[in-house]
Amino acid sequence: MPIIVSNSVKKLREERLMSKAELARLAGVSPITVDRIERGEECRMETKRKILLALGFSLSEKDKVFQD
């Protein structure tokens, strides 16, 4: 059973009118990984860093995206 964590990835992605595939491409991860993160499944710190940067946030703004 995966651990569920709260994040704003889906909301922020949709506000930017980005598809999951586009976010995945910009972040250098698979669309399946983006889907898992949006469902709240845990991911590695490196993956969080890639998602943050792809959404246009700095690393210091982590709490705006990931609430863990």
Side-chain angles (χ1 to χ4, degrees):
M1 194 85 183
I3 297 171
I4 304 300
V5 293
S6 180
N7 69 63
S8 304
V9 174
K10 182 176 183 176
K11 179 178 84 70
L12 293 166
R13 176 182 60 77
E14 289 176 345
E15 285 175 0
R16 287 160 174 72
L17 304 175
M18 296 171 77
S19 67
K20 286 181 186 178
E22 185 178 3
L23 177 56
R25 183 181 55 77
L26 289 171
V29 300
S30 73
I32 293 170
T33 298
V34 172
D35 189 54
R36 287 184 191 133
I37 292 168
E38 289 186 354
R39 287 196 314 258
E41 294 184 26
E42 188 57 76
C43 67
R44 296 184 334 222
M45 189 61 66
E46 177 65 15
T47 304
K48 288 181 182 180
R49 186 184 70 77
K50 290 177 178 181
I51 295 290
L52 278 170
L53 296 175
L55 287 171
F57 289 94
S58 68
L59 299 181
S60 64
E61 297 174 299
K62 173 187 162 298
D63 293 340
K64 293 181 180 178
V65 181
F66 296 99
Q67 295 78 40
D68 53 7

